[in-house]
Amino acid sequence: MIKKIIVFAGLILLTAALCTAEIWKAPDQEKAKERAKEVVPFIKEYKDDCQITRRMSLIDAGISIKNVQDVYFLLDSPVIKKREDHYEPVRFAHKRHAALTKDCTKCHHFRPKDENALETTRCSACHQDSFNPDHPERIGLKAAYHQQCMKCHQEEAKGPVDCKGCHLRNVPDHKNLVKLPDNADPFQVTAECLRCHDTQAEDMLKTAHWLWKGPSPYTTGHRKDIMHGKGTTALNNY
Amino acid sequence: MQLSRRSFFKIMGAAGASVTALPPSANAWKSKAPPDPYGCLVDLTRCVGCRKCEEACAEVNGLPTPERPNCQCIVFDKKRRPDDKAYTVVNRYFTGKLDQFDKPLPTYAKVQCMHCQDPACVSACIVGALTKDETGAVRYDATKCIGCRYCMVACPFEIPAYEYHDPITPRVIKCSFCYDRISKKGGLPGCATICPTEALTFGKRETIVKVAQKRLEENPGKYIDHVYGEKEVGGTSWLYISSVPFEKVNLPVLSDKPSPKLSETIQHSLFSYLWSPLALFGVLGALMYKSNKNQGEPENKGGY
Amino acid sequence: MEHKAGPLNKKFWTPGVLVMLVFMIAGGISILARFTGGIGYITNLTNARPWGLWVGVDVATGVALAAGGFTTAALAHIFGKHYYEPVTRPALLTAALGYTFVVLGLLVDIGRSWAIWKPIFNWNTNSVLFEVAMCVMVYLHVLYIEFIPVVAEQFKDRVNLPGPLSVFNGLIDMILKIADAILDKIMWVFIILGVVLSCMHQSSLGSLMLIAPTKLHPLWYTPILPLLFLLSAFAVGYPMVVFETTIASSSFNLDSEMNILAPLTRITVFLLGIYMFFKLGDMFVRGTYTYLLDGNYQTNSFIVEMLFGVMIPWVMLLFEKVRNSRRGVFTAASLIVGGVVLNRINVFIVGYKPPLSDNGYFPAPGEFFVTLGLIATLMFVYRLVVTWLPVLQESKEVPS
């Protein structure tokens, strides 16, 4: 009886969560997604200033970290997707990085030669496809991101320098991978997951989620039992 | 043995004519490098050792997926070479450089076929199974190969590998410069496509050399002042620039002389139009005729 | 000239032959393993060491030691020194067998044995190996042709095939006679051709390594390597004849042929002297003597090669007393043969050290079995041929 209730309650919660996820979208995430889809015109010529001159001109133009508007970017572009698509794009906290470095020129190292152009133009305006025969010295967008991020993270000894520190691995679409009969029972589902994720299952067995036992203050009728939990009776402490 | 006067002079005449008609000195060695090949620059200061190039290479060329344990250190612990399962490998070297926290700084170096401008393997191949393509790629045609492995002896970079465990149809295995891809417009080699830091720069060799030189000029003190492969063994399609001496990352010190020059010069100055064998034939024939005439009919019929 | 070659007509199955048979079986099993598991299954060859014992010994050394064939042919037939004709037939047989086994060795060594004919149609005239292959191929046929008169002499008018095959008796007899008659007229072409082809590929075997300057130890890597190979082939020709004739005559209890062998060694003094002159001269001109005292296995091998393989036998042969003693001549000849064998092994195996990826090489047992098996088979066939065909000098039985 209790088990049934728990399963039922769980199902309701799950559906609710899914529905809300459908409805509610994080506005800055959506904005970042849209922004990452844009391809801006390629800037052929840039002003070859040294970093100090560059800093001076930013001060002259009155640009500082206070002017940072975009909080958050997705480091992604169709230019990169065109070649390969192995990892999820990096979620880049623009404002936070600006606040930490306190120096826009660290990333905005050059500006377009065109005087009317934005002082701090976006990366993908200058860095687009790799190995452009007309601009062989200009590195591509993907390399520009990686070189910039990793160099700074290494120099400052702060921030990740490994792949998974910044990226999520692209998760393949499980629609075709998962093979389950209609109305599969929970054991079938578990078995199907384990078919590929056996190492994850092994790891799971060592975590508190699996080993947990103790009082169940939120489980009706078992509030005072202290021996419930996955480690003992397979009951969760909902 | 009967050497009739007539037949002897016939042959002598032919030999003599061929010697006078075709002077051997006209065979100064010329490079057979294609006029406008592709090239690829490896900037060792940019390589972060992610081994994505290995993965991409295997995927593009249908090779077994490279080992990818949770920690790369297991792979980097031993020095690897390209073999019959991998066209390219990345090795890690500690050359004594330290970072700002006094931690030893690794240098990663990708190894693959250098696609020489005048490849030793192409010159050596007995059947011409290896050819230097217009794109700069040194291509291998298994249908011609007889498996003599002279290419492996000849290669100064020790690149070609062999399928030693195939009893009947073993192949020579080496990087193909992704010929199928780069021969199409805008095509890139698998490794260069995936490299996250653009440690690999692909383009026309001429352009690539300039890019390399420009990088050396613009970053004084960062690089060793040498573009490896620009002149080595007459030039290679793959070029390296580095902040550590090249011999420390297992790139051999080689002369600027194209590898096949000496042997081809000797072969062609001696054997073009078979002038020297014919001349020798003539001289020996004359000697034989003379010695047999002096002694009358040789008594042992049938030569032996 | 009072010489006449004849079949041996001796007992064939001796204990020695049985020992050879054991080696042949071991070799055969190894070859079987090579063609089921691949080259890597029975050899220690690696990507760094694509050439090992089989190329170094079966091919390079085999070719060098077959030099007796063309050097004696040149001496007796081209330079008209018919005095030496008694040794030409055994030398020819050794050469023919030697080259046959070079090709057999190659068949085992190359990865795609079934494709060995491909160089005939796919030419790469830049390749030294292509030239060597063509020369070896043509020369092998020249050697067989040169051997036809020996077969004809034995079987002319005596072709007697067993059983149902006997219907071909007349036909084969006719072919033999025609071939013999034609060859009698044009044999001189093949004799000269044999010498020319030999000069070409003996030297080119040395050119093979010129393309790998960084891999061959500087003691051996020299631009004149092809010349050294040719000179050493010249030098080893007569010693090889001395070596095998002495062994053959002592094991078959034949007359000693010292009257021919002694003057041959006088020529050897000259030929070996030239080889030594160039070899030492090359060392001094390029200044490679600085490596001599490095004391590693490579330099030591060079010292052994030069000292025992060239200098000591040369000095020995300077003495009239040595040249006239059977034992002395045999010892000197063996040393020279050993020296040239070691030279080829040094160039192709010991001195070969790829700087990037070498991990040392020592032949696997399987490689030894194949090589020894091939050598045993060669000796077996040699014995078979001299027993049935007129190759060796006919002699009055030496009472034992």
Side-chain angles (χ1 to χ4, degrees):
Chain A
M1 186 62 198
I2 296 161
K3 261 192 185 174
K4 264 189 190 165
I5 293 169
I6 290 165
V7 171
F8 188 66
L11 274 176
I12 288 171
L13 274 173
L14 198 69
T15 351
L18 281 172
C19 292
T20 44
E22 278 291 312
I23 295 154
W24 188 80
K25 286 173 179 170
D28 54 349
Q29 169 79 354
E30 286 309 303
K31 201 177 143 206
K33 268 186 187 168
E34 286 306 314
R35 200 173 188 275
K37 277 182 200 155
E38 294 163 15
V39 179
V40 292
F42 183 63
I43 290 167
K44 287 187 181 132
E45 284 179 290
Y46 62 94
K47 207 165 159 196
D48 194 4
D49 287 338
C50 74
Q51 208 183 6
I52 294 168
T53 325
R54 182 91 187 101
R55 255 180 226 149
M56 297 306 290
S57 55
L58 278 185
I59 291 169
D60 290 347
I63 297 170
S64 72
I65 54 165
K66 289 188 192 87
N67 301 72
V68 174
Q69 284 160 0
D70 296 294
V71 177
Y72 164 73
F73 290 140
L74 271 180
L75 301 189
D76 198 6
S77 165
V79 176
I80 297 177
K81 284 270 194 305
K82 192 171 81 186
R83 295 280 185 208
E84 55 121 345
D85 194 9
H86 283 70
Y87 284 94
E88 293 279 343
V90 171
R91 299 197 239 179
F92 178 67
H94 184 217
K95 199 158 190 169
R96 188 165 165 70
H97 277 86
L100 278 172
T101 57
K102 299 186 184 68
D103 180 2
C104 305
T105 63
K106 277 211 160 161
C107 296
H108 297 280
H109 50 167
F110 294 122
R111 59 153 294 144
K113 207 161 202 172
D114 179 9
E115 291 298 332
N116 299 324
L118 219 71
E119 187 72 44
T120 53
T121 187
R122 61 196 287 180
C123 308
S124 67
C126 294
H127 298 283
Q128 296 199 342
D129 203 4
S130 316
F131 319 131
N132 185 341
D134 302 325
H135 300 272
E137 77 288 352
R138 194 84 65 84
I139 57 174
L141 182 59
K142 182 174 67 172
Y145 284 149
H146 280 113
Q147 283 194 18
Q148 184 65 47
C149 297
M150 292 175 81
K151 185 169 155 255
C152 210
H153 287 185
Q154 250 154 6
E155 275 173 7
E156 303 295 325
K158 211 168 185 182
V161 284
D162 56 327
C163 309
K164 286 174 187 167
C166 301
H167 292 279
L168 279 175
R169 185 122 207 179
N170 245 358
V171 181
D173 190 353
H174 276 61
K175 241 181 242 163
N176 303 320
L177 293 175
V178 177
K179 289 187 183 68
L180 275 175
D182 297 338
N183 303 321
D185 67 43
F187 296 103
Q188 280 175 311
V189 176
T190 310
E192 178 63 11
C193 294
L194 289 179
R195 189 162 61 85
C196 299
H197 298 284
D198 51 342
T199 42
Q200 283 87 337
E202 290 289 324
D203 290 346
M204 159 73 186
L205 295 181
K206 292 176 201 125
T207 63
H209 294 291
W210 184 257
L211 297 173
W212 177 85
K213 57 186 176 190
S216 322
Y218 306 115
T219 311
T220 320
H222 292 275
R223 285 205 179 89
K224 287 184 180 155
D225 290 347
I226 52 161
M227 281 310 287
H228 282 313
K230 282 227 165 95
T232 48
T233 58
L235 265 185
N236 260 328
N237 180 24
Y238 286 124
Chain B
M1 167 175 349
Q2 291 179 347
L3 172 53
S4 81
R5 203 185 177 86
R6 188 187 291 168
S7 63
F8 169 70
F9 279 113
K10 234 187 263 172
I11 290 186
M12 276 301 287
S18 58
V19 172
T20 45
L22 306 155
S25 56
N27 287 294
W29 188 85
K30 277 194 212 75
S31 167
K32 290 177 275 292
D36 190 20
Y38 285 108
C40 198
L41 175 69
V42 187
D43 188 336
L44 299 186
T45 65
R46 289 184 179 181
C47 180
V48 294
C50 68
R51 293 176 61 233
K52 282 280 155 195
C53 48
E54 290 182 28
E55 232 171 67
C57 176
E59 196 186 315
V60 166
N61 294 295
L63 301 166
T65 312
E67 188 189 3
R68 182 166 278 279
N70 283 330
C71 178
Q72 299 266 35
C73 42
I74 301 168
V75 178
F76 285 134
D77 270 348
K78 58 176 190 286
K79 297 279 167 286
R80 299 172 304 147
R81 297 286 306 170
D83 58 20
D84 56 338
K85 306 246 166 19
Y87 290 168
T88 183
V89 292
V90 178
N91 279 318
R92 183 184 61 186
Y93 300 91
F94 288 109
T95 55
K97 268 178 84 123
L98 300 175
D99 67 3
Q100 51 189 339
F101 311 105
D102 282 346
K103 258 187 12 197
L105 208 60
T107 305
Y108 300 97
K110 178 182 185 295
V111 206
Q112 75 294 309
C113 173
M114 300 288 282
H115 298 276
C116 306
Q117 289 286 73
D118 281 294
C121 57
V122 170
S123 170
C125 181
I126 181 170
V127 283
L130 289 155
T131 45
K132 177 80 175 168
D133 187 83
E134 284 298 302
T135 55
V138 175
R139 300 178 68 195
Y140 169 67
D141 179 359
T143 60
K144 281 187 184 171
C145 183
I146 67 167
C148 69
R149 308 191 292 285
Y150 189 27
C151 50
M152 302 166 70
V153 172
C155 177
F157 300 99
E158 299 165 33
I159 290 300
Y162 203 62
E163 293 181 315
Y164 278 112
H165 288 277
D166 184 333
I168 307 297
T169 55
R171 291 169 303 165
V172 169
I173 301 290
K174 71 163 200 71
C175 158
S176 62
F177 210 170
C178 282
Y179 170 80
D180 295 332
R181 292 159 63 95
I182 66 166
S183 55
K184 289 187 196 107
K185 199 177 176 298
L188 299 175
C191 51
T193 315
I194 204 162
C195 181
T197 57
E198 231 163 90
L200 307 175
T201 310
F202 176 80
K204 287 287 181 186
R205 183 174 186 271
E206 212 178 319
T207 324
I208 292 300
V209 172
K210 281 193 200 118
V211 168
Q213 281 162 345
K214 200 167 167 214
R215 256 183 236 174
L216 299 192
E217 273 165 35
E218 286 179 353
N219 300 281
K222 184 178 177 189
Y223 293 99
I224 302 278
D225 190 19
H226 179 67
V227 179
Y228 187 92
E230 187 188 355
K231 300 230 169 66
E232 269 79 6
V233 291
T236 55
S237 293
W238 278 68
L239 305 156
Y240 284 76
I241 52 176
S242 160
S243 60
V244 296
F246 293 101
E247 58 269 25
K248 286 199 176 171
V249 292
N250 222 15
L251 286 166
V253 181
L254 295 168
S255 82
D256 292 351
K257 216 176 82 174
S259 345
K261 189 174 174 183
L262 176 62
S263 63
E264 283 187 9
T265 307
I266 290 179
Q267 286 300 98
H268 289 302
S269 52
L270 275 181
F271 298 120
S272 52
Y273 312 107
L274 295 175
W275 74 270
S276 71
L278 286 173
L280 182 61
F281 196 99
V283 171
L284 290 176
L287 269 172
M288 192 174 184
Y289 181 72
K290 199 162 154 259
S291 64
N292 279 323
K293 206 173 81 172
N294 289 348
Q295 299 187 2
E297 269 301 293
E299 53 292 335
N300 184 23
K301 289 192 106 192
Y304 279 93
Chain C
M1 212 64 38
E2 298 305 318
H3 78 262
K4 174 93 182 71
L8 264 179
N9 293 326
K10 273 179 197 287
K11 200 175 143 223
F12 185 77
W13 296 102
T14 60
V17 175
L18 293 176
V19 171
M20 282 192 267
L21 215 57
V22 172
F23 278 114
M24 285 158 68
I25 291 167
I29 293 169
S30 302
I31 290 174
L32 208 66
R34 178 255 174 267
F35 282 105
T36 45
I39 296 173
Y41 185 53
I42 64 157
T43 69
N44 282 343
L45 295 178
T46 58
N47 293 331
R49 288 283 187 139
W51 284 358
L53 187 73
W54 293 344
V55 171
V57 173
D58 302 14
V59 179
T61 310
V63 168
L65 295 188
F70 83 95
T71 45
T72 49
L75 188 65
H77 301 304
I78 295 178
F79 298 107
K81 306 273 187 270
H82 298 288
Y83 178 71
Y84 296 103
E85 267 172 27
V87 291
T88 54
R89 272 197 182 178
L92 169 69
L93 175 61
T94 326
L97 287 178
Y99 275 87
T100 309
F101 281 86
V102 164
V103 174
L104 289 180
L106 270 176
L107 278 172
V108 179
D109 181 72
I110 66 169
R112 300 174 165 222
S113 315
W114 50 270
I116 198 165
W117 50 271
K118 283 185 176 172
I120 303 173
F121 299 101
N122 299 305
W123 290 22
N124 178 13
T125 51
N126 291 325
S127 170
V128 180
L129 194 61
F130 172 74
E131 187 228 313
V132 173
M134 286 294 125
C135 285
V136 168
M137 188 186 73
V138 178
Y139 186 49
L140 183 62
H141 290 95
V142 167
L143 284 168
Y144 287 157
I145 291 170
E146 286 182 16
F147 203 72
I148 287 177
V150 180
V151 181
E153 186 182 305
Q154 179 69 8
F155 291 110
K156 238 192 301 190
D157 300 323
R158 267 182 289 179
V159 178
N160 189 13
L161 295 169
L165 287 175
S166 56
V167 288
F168 297 114
N169 280 351
L171 184 71
I172 290 174
D173 191 47
M174 202 171 73
I175 292 172
L176 269 183
K177 274 181 185 156
I178 293 170
D180 196 31
I182 295 173
L183 283 178
D184 195 36
K185 296 260 188 302
I186 57 162
M187 188 51 97
W188 66 273
V189 174
F190 291 110
I191 289 169
I192 303 177
L193 193 61
V195 176
V196 171
L197 287 168
S198 291
C199 288
M200 280 171 80
H201 71 266
Q202 291 283 4
S203 60
S204 292
L205 269 178
S207 311
L208 279 180
M209 280 297 160
L210 291 186
I211 205 162
T214 55
K215 297 184 181 176
L216 187 58
H217 193 282
L219 278 171
W220 291 281
Y221 186 89
T222 158
I224 65 159
L225 196 58
L227 180 66
L228 291 178
F229 263 54
L230 183 64
L231 291 176
S232 58
F234 286 154
V236 82
Y238 303 133
M240 192 60 200
V241 171
V242 171
F243 180 76
E244 70 191 54
T245 314
T246 313
I247 288 183
S249 57
S250 63
S251 65
F252 298 136
N253 264 334
L254 302 173
D255 284 348
S256 164
E257 290 175 320
M258 273 308 287
N259 54 333
I260 296 174
L261 302 186
L264 271 184
T265 54
R266 222 168 36 226
I267 310 172
T268 303
V269 174
F270 171 68
L271 291 174
L272 189 66
I274 298 178
Y275 173 54
M276 186 170 72
F277 173 78
F278 273 93
K279 189 119 170 130
L280 292 176
D282 170 67
M283 187 169 85
F284 284 107
V285 168
R286 293 185 304 115
T288 49
Y289 47 82
T290 50
Y291 296 101
L292 281 180
L293 294 177
D294 279 4
N296 61 37
Y297 70 99
Q298 293 181 307
T299 54
N300 289 343
S301 194
F302 182 84
I303 293 171
V304 171
E305 177 199 326
M306 277 311 285
L307 211 58
F308 293 95
V310 184
M311 289 153 106
I312 289 177
W314 186 72
V315 172
M316 278 173 76
L317 289 180
L318 284 180
F319 294 99
E320 178 97 37
K321 219 171 122 192
V322 176
R323 286 205 303 273
N324 288 332
S325 107
R326 196 164 179 238
R327 185 185 290 267
V329 165
F330 180 71
T331 314
S334 311
L335 283 174
I336 297 170
V337 170
V340 171
V341 170
L342 187 56
N343 174 258
R344 298 306 193 259
I345 291 175
N346 279 342
V347 168
F348 285 96
I349 303 172
V350 176
Y352 184 86
K353 199 171 183 204
L356 301 182
S357 56
D358 190 43
N359 38 16
Y361 165 78
F362 192 80
E367 292 176 72
F368 280 114
F369 287 144
V370 170
T371 298
L372 291 174
L374 285 175
I375 294 171
T377 319
L378 187 148
M379 288 162 70
F380 185 85
V381 178
Y382 182 91
R383 206 185 155 95
L384 206 68
V385 174
V386 296
T387 308
W388 303 108
L389 289 174
V391 173
L392 293 177
Q393 190 77 329
E394 222 159 41
S395 67
K396 303 165 284 298
E397 198 75 24
V398 180
S400 43

